[in-house]
């Protein structure tokens, strides 16, 4: 009877454990310094902007921390993130200035899909990140959209980015 209960417990918990390990293994690839370009485009008014981005990720215990800096037309933008596994849920919290947003992460088709924890906003914002080898380097591709209000109503902006993992020899001074 005890063996049967242990067997059932293992069968029930294994998928959550495997999912947790798969997510953590995927997140381990984020560690390091990433440099590249992002672009945003709105079909509603034709606005387009491309800008440089640098992101750094590091682990402290079971938490992946991140720092992102970008040079936008509007000025320097800095954001920080904290990503962790909360039971079966992958969570991230992003702070930029006085604002803070939380997202659920879902591993799907070899990529992380980020959805706002406010599910009503999930129709307005989604981001997909995937790490792939390209041209002999490790790249992080980012695709997503956000919604904003403008004179004629609601519009989407399309977000695209590609970052390259920098090797130790490319890092330079901190």
């Amino acid at each position: 009877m005890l063996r049967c209960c242990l067997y059932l417990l293992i069968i029930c918990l294994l998928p959550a454990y495997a999912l947790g390990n798969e997510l953590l293994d995927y997140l381990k690839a984020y560690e390091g310094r990433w440099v590249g370009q992002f672009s945003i485009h709105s079909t509603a008014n034709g606005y387009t902007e491309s800008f440089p981005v640098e992101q750094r990720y590091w682990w402290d215990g079971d938490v992946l921390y991140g720092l992102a800096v970008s040079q936008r037309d509007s000025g320097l933008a800095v954001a920080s993130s904290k990503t962790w596994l909360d039971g079966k849920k992958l969570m991230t919290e992003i702070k930029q200035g006085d604002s803070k947003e939380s997202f659920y992460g879902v591993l799907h088709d070899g990529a992380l899909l980020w959805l706002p924890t406010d599910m009503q906003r999930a129709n307005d914002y989604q981001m997909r990140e995937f790490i792939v080898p390209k041209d002999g380097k490790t790249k992080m591709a980012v695709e997503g959209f956000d919604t904003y209000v403008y004179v004629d109503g609601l519009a989407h902006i399309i977000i695209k980015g590609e970052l390259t993992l920098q090797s130790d020899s490319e890092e330079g001074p901190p």
Side-chain angles (χ1 to χ4, degrees):
M1 178 72 149
L2 181 58
R3 281 187 186 165
C4 183
C5 289
L6 286 174
Y7 181 70
L8 286 174
L9 183 62
I10 289 170
I11 288 175
C12 291
L13 294 178
L14 191 57
Y17 177 76
L19 177 62
N21 282 344
E22 187 179 5
L23 283 168
L24 289 176
D25 286 345
Y26 195 87
L27 286 174
K28 287 177 185 174
Y30 277 61
E31 192 171 24
R33 178 176 171 246
W34 299 83
V35 176
Q37 288 280 121
F38 270 59
S39 65
I40 57 175
H41 176 72
S42 171
T43 56
N45 61 10
Y47 178 78
T48 297
E49 180 183 357
S50 292
F51 49 92
V53 174
E54 180 172 330
Q55 296 180 170
R56 289 183 185 253
Y57 293 98
W58 67 96
W59 288 95
D60 187 0
D62 292 338
V63 178
L64 178 66
Y65 289 91
L67 184 62
V69 178
S70 58
Q71 182 61 52
R72 305 274 314 269
D73 288 347
S74 58
L76 191 66
V78 178
S80 63
S81 65
K82 178 172 88 169
T83 305
W84 70 98
L85 198 56
D86 182 11
K88 295 181 186 179
K89 295 178 192 163
L90 180 61
M91 305 290 299
T92 196
E93 182 179 273
I94 298 177
K95 293 180 185 177
Q96 186 170 358
D98 293 334
S99 72
K100 179 170 74 172
E101 285 192 271
S102 297
F103 301 88
Y104 294 118
V106 178
L107 195 55
H108 179 69
D109 284 340
L112 271 175
L113 177 63
W114 294 104
L115 301 167
T117 55
D118 175 0
M119 282 296 145
Q120 289 182 328
R121 181 148 155 63
N123 289 328
D124 299 327
Y125 176 94
Q126 292 181 20
M127 196 67 66
R128 182 176 179 257
E129 300 174 335
F130 49 100
I131 297 175
V132 294
K134 183 177 176 186
D135 303 327
K137 301 240 180 202
T138 302
K139 305 277 186 170
M140 179 189 303
V142 180
E143 302 170 342
F145 64 87
D146 200 352
T147 303
Y148 67 99
V149 178
Y150 78 117
V151 175
D152 293 330
L154 289 178
H156 285 295
I157 56 173
I158 305 301
I159 304 160
K160 291 187 178 198
E162 182 175 273
L163 304 168
T164 302
L165 181 62
Q166 304 297 296
S167 67
D168 291 338
S169 62
E170 296 173 291
E171 287 217 20

